[in-house]
Amino acid sequence: MTTPTSDHLMAGITARDVDTARLRVRVLERAAVGEEKGVVVFVHGNVSSSLFYQPTMLALDPAFRALALDLRGFGETERLPVDATRGLGDFADDVIAALDALGVERAHFVGWSMGGGVVMRIAIDNSHRVASLCLESPVSPYGFGGTRLDGSLLTPDAAGTGGGGANPDFVARLAANDTSDESPTSPRNVYRGTYVADASAIDNEDLWVHAMLTTATGEENYPGDATASESWPGFAPGTRGVLNTMAPTHCDLSGLVNIAPKPPITWIRGSADAIVSDASLFDLNHLGALGAIPGWPGADVAPAQPMVSQTRVVLERYAAGSPGLVDEVVFDGCGHSPHLERPSEFIAALHALLDRARAAGDA
């Protein structure tokens, strides 16, 4: 694997800041070689940055131009507040503004985790600009936590979701730029324990930890604010910051099923994903069932969110009557980061999606 230099870039990747109508955005690029087939835009997930996608950009078919953007409050993009009442809208609009500034009218989008929700939001609001969607371990279309299979709320205020759900020590260690492995809640150990299934098999761990540590912390960014709730575990979403953008009171991406035109979608996930799962270790209701959080009121009141099942139901509705429009790819034993854990298989699935889009005339 290519080793990053002191500026955290791998050979073949360039970085620049792009001024947009909304904010200043850091963009990584791997230029196309020869006649350009199209543009592929990579959108990272929560507590990460565009740096995570460098190996994938380098492995991409060289005829495609590859761009990876840092979302607001992550990486080297401007650290502006996040309005969570818009769901993932701030992030989606920032991406579109950056593409406008770069003169990119239409692209293939790859979104990882929270970034999967961002690219779904882009497709809902700007379907004419989306040639294809690759959803990598995406957040559920109904946000993170607090919902039943059909997306309905478990409590009116979505108790147990949003900014109050972050581990305070993890947030403090992000803010302190902690690179150690002395605590289970250090960013390095969170990466090892939840981002991937087998960290020992993946190169460049220091780079991935560095990318995590670029996260802006606080009530305006990560994790966001919270409000009190009469329901267990005693808090509900606020209106600011990253985790509240995915609270089900603010985030509903099920409108994806109604967009037109409908680009082809490939959904890639790992069977051992600890973060986006029907039994997520970041879902407080599931943690309550495990006894990790006291006072859990029981499965009738606070069941775990069926995240993967929700995504499957929505994508089945999206593809209704159109065989081949959606492809689900599952890597056995893989965690939350298929592009790092199964790089050759991931790029093969992405290339197959690009081929499908071109065959459909959507290059």
Side-chain angles (χ1 to χ4, degrees):
M1 177 176 289
T2 303
T3 301
T5 60
S6 59
D7 62 0
H8 309 294
L9 297 180
M10 296 181 173
I13 302 292
T14 60
R16 57 173 156 158
D17 290 331
V18 176
D19 290 323
T20 79
R22 292 175 57 81
L23 78 172
R24 174 185 49 77
V25 177
R26 172 59 59 91
V27 178
L28 303 188
E29 180 167 358
R30 194 226 58 189
V33 176
E35 183 179 355
E36 185 179 300
K37 290 183 179 178
V39 180
V40 181
V41 176
F42 295 88
V43 182
H44 67 81
N46 191 15
V47 191
S48 63
S49 81
S50 61
L51 296 175
F52 267 93
Y53 265 127
Q54 291 184 93
T56 313
M57 296 167 71
L58 292 170
L60 185 69
D61 179 344
F64 285 90
R65 180 186 182 192
L67 301 173
L69 294 75
D70 286 340
L71 299 174
R72 69 168 59 195
F74 297 95
E76 301 301 324
T77 285
E78 193 171 355
R79 298 190 169 198
L80 294 184
V82 177
D83 179 0
T85 65
R86 304 187 64 230
L88 293 163
D90 266 359
F91 295 130
D93 288 352
D94 292 347
V95 172
I96 290 297
L99 295 181
D100 285 344
L102 291 167
V104 176
E105 178 61 28
R106 187 171 171 81
H108 305 271
F109 289 86
V110 181
W112 173 36
S113 194
M114 181 181 77
V118 173
V119 301
M120 282 189 262
R121 184 76 258 168
I122 289 171
I124 292 168
D125 296 338
N126 299 275
S127 63
H128 63 287
R129 303 189 69 162
V130 179
S132 69
L133 284 179
C134 179
L135 304 177
E136 179 188 5
S137 311
V139 64
S140 164
Y142 297 112
F144 201 97
T147 57
R148 304 176 183 87
L149 180 62
D150 63 359
S152 58
L153 296 174
L154 298 177
T155 64
D157 61 356
T161 72
N167 183 292
D169 190 62
F170 174 65
V171 177
R173 289 175 182 276
L174 283 177
N177 203 41
D178 178 13
T179 62
S180 75
D181 61 359
E182 65 182 24
S183 166
T185 55
S186 72
R188 187 177 298 275
N189 281 330
V190 169
Y191 161 77
R192 291 174 178 173
T194 62
Y195 279 42
V196 295
D198 181 8
S200 66
I202 302 170
D203 294 330
N204 293 316
E205 178 175 285
D206 287 345
L207 177 60
W208 314 140
V209 174
H210 166 78
M212 295 171 69
L213 292 172
T214 65
T215 302
T217 57
E219 290 191 342
E220 302 283 2
N221 296 106
Y222 179 85
D225 62 347
T227 59
S229 174
E230 295 182 356
S231 300
W232 184 88
F235 69 87
T239 60
R240 298 174 290 160
V242 175
L243 292 188
N244 292 316
T245 68
M246 294 177 283
T249 46
H250 303 311
C251 182
D252 182 355
L253 303 167
S254 61
L256 183 72
V257 304
N258 298 318
I259 68 172
K262 288 185 175 180
I265 294 176
T266 291
W267 172 26
I268 303 175
R269 63 183 184 87
S271 68
D273 191 338
I275 297 176
V276 175
S277 165
D278 286 359
S280 169
L281 294 180
F282 288 75
D283 182 341
L284 297 195
N285 287 352
H286 180 59
L287 292 177
L290 295 176
I293 301 176
W296 182 61
D300 290 343
V301 176
Q305 179 191 9
M307 303 177 187
V308 172
S309 298
Q310 288 175 334
T311 299
R312 183 173 296 110
V313 168
V314 169
L315 292 182
E316 286 175 350
R317 289 169 54 203
Y318 179 89
S322 301
L325 189 60
V326 173
D327 186 22
E328 179 181 354
V329 179
V330 183
F331 298 142
D332 188 48
C334 178
H336 188 60
S337 311
H339 70 287
L340 295 183
E341 300 174 74
R342 300 285 196 277
S344 58
E345 295 93 335
F346 182 89
I347 204 69
L350 177 55
H351 284 159
L353 172 63
L354 298 176
D355 288 342
R356 283 164 54 209
R358 287 176 62 81
D362 288 329

